[in-house]
Amino acid sequence: IGVACCPNNSSVYTENGQKEILKFEAPINPKTDFAIYRVARYDGITLLAVNYQYGKVIGEPTLQNCSLATSANFAIGLLHIELNPFVEGDQGTYKLTELSETTTVIQCVTLYILAKPWPPTDLHIISTPGLVNAKWIKGFNGGSLQSFLLQISYDDIWKNLTQVNENDRNNMLNETVYQVYITNVKPGKHSVRVIAFNKVGYADPVLFTENDSEQINFQESTSEAGRLNTTIMSLSVVVSIIIQYLAQSTSGADSLNSADMSLRFAVAAVIIRYLSRDTTEP
């Protein structure tokens, strides 16, 4: 008996209730005096069996639990079958076997039922002022293209930060790890999660946790900090000028009257109060 492995294995993904065509090709040999080509389920149940003698079909084919596909042509070895509507339990590997002087597996087709994707793993969040870096590892996509939603919770309401498609190379560090950068996140403590989904449905959300905490402290943007630093520097320079101005004025205080001196101090106080105001105000 030949080695019962699959030299040629392909995959087919389907949904419950769908019909699928499995395309098997028998290597017809006109020099072989007799051969049976048999298509069977993973559990051994025969779906199709065709007898050949010196490369020609003899007798009536055996066909059960399926029908012939319109593309089938036994004369040239195209053993194409259309399965009945797919139900739970039909998934598995279907084999085309040649039975002649030996038994040889010619071809395999593995049927998978489409499902929701598996949840991503290893969600990591790094927050720097004004910038968020998120990484995660994808899970099995359930048999169809999946996407990922990165969400943030503001006041217990989840909002989308971005969506990444599975085939988006711009956000892939390698074949399994994805990475995105997000700006303009509101400062404060918020929760972040990632959700995988495909055309079948959504996987369970994966929430970022660190040190037993589900919240991250998002810092203020560096641009705000820069404006604050600029204001502080400007204030320091102006205060220095005012101090020099007052010093020069008081050195000649004998020639100034009290009203003139009061005016100078009042002007200095107004300037300092204006520059030290809250920079977030209009």
Side-chain angles (χ1 to χ4, degrees):
I1 298 177
V3 179
C5 62
C6 290
N8 181 8
N9 192 1
S10 58
S11 300
V12 174
Y13 294 89
T14 188
E15 299 179 65
N16 283 330
Q18 298 295 316
K19 291 185 176 182
E20 291 296 333
I21 294 176
L22 305 185
K23 296 182 178 181
F24 295 96
E25 296 187 15
I28 306 302
N29 187 349
K31 295 182 180 180
T32 301
D33 58 355
F34 183 79
I36 301 174
Y37 288 96
R38 173 177 174 261
V39 175
R41 282 169 40 119
Y42 61 90
D43 54 7
I45 295 177
T46 298
L47 299 179
L48 173 66
V50 185
N51 300 329
Y52 288 87
Q53 188 172 39
Y54 296 112
K56 296 185 180 297
V57 178
I58 61 171
E60 290 296 324
T62 299
L63 189 67
Q64 62 180 358
N65 299 325
C66 64
S67 58
L68 289 181
T70 56
S71 55
N73 188 335
F74 292 163
I76 58 176
L78 299 182
L79 310 186
H80 297 180
I81 59 173
E82 182 175 1
L83 300 179
N84 293 333
F86 194 82
V87 296
E88 195 75 31
D90 285 341
Q91 63 266 34
T93 299
Y94 293 67
K95 296 181 180 180
L96 170 63
T97 304
E98 179 188 286
L99 298 89
S100 54
E101 294 180 356
T102 61
T103 300
T104 307
V105 177
I106 303 299
Q107 182 184 349
C108 295
V109 176
T110 301
L111 271 178
Y112 296 95
I113 185 170
L114 290 176
K116 295 186 296 184
W118 295 358
T121 57
D122 294 336
L123 175 62
H124 289 283
I125 304 294
I126 299 176
S127 174
T128 57
L131 185 66
V132 177
N133 171 232
K135 294 181 185 177
W136 64 88
I137 298 176
K138 73 173 182 179
F140 175 58
N141 62 14
S144 60
L145 190 68
Q146 66 179 328
S147 297
F148 307 95
L149 278 178
L150 189 67
Q151 298 183 323
I152 190 168
S153 176
Y154 291 135
D155 300 323
D156 297 325
I157 299 175
W158 289 101
K159 296 185 177 181
N160 295 340
L161 287 175
T162 189
Q163 177 176 320
V164 178
N165 295 326
E166 184 177 20
N167 58 358
D168 186 355
R169 292 282 174 182
N170 292 329
N171 291 308
M172 296 176 66
L173 290 180
N174 54 46
E175 292 300 318
T176 60
V177 179
Y178 290 76
Q179 174 177 259
V180 294
Y181 291 94
I182 306 295
T183 58
N184 300 323
V185 176
K186 294 180 182 178
K189 290 186 176 182
H190 310 298
S191 298
V192 175
R193 69 183 185 183
V194 63
I195 305 175
F197 68 95
N198 61 12
K199 64 180 182 180
V200 178
Y202 289 78
D204 292 335
V206 175
L207 189 66
F208 174 76
T209 58
E210 186 177 47
N211 299 326
D212 296 327
S213 175
E214 296 179 352
Q215 289 191 322
I216 312 164
N217 186 23
F218 293 95
Q219 303 175 45
E220 189 177 32
S221 171
T222 53
S223 59
E224 293 293 335
R227 285 197 291 270
L228 179 60
N229 289 336
T230 301
T231 301
I232 293 174
M233 290 177 63
S234 300
L235 179 60
S236 300
V237 172
V238 172
V239 168
S240 176
I241 294 173
I242 291 174
I243 290 174
Q244 293 180 18
Y245 168 72
L246 290 176
Q248 292 174 358
S249 298
T250 53
S251 64
D254 292 341
S255 61
L256 296 174
N257 59 39
S258 59
D260 194 8
M261 286 295 296
S262 298
L263 179 61
R264 290 172 183 265
F265 277 105
V267 172
V270 170
I271 294 174
I272 292 174
R273 188 180 302 116
Y274 175 78
L275 290 174
S276 61
R277 76 193 190 285
D278 185 355
T279 56
T280 61
E281 295 178 355

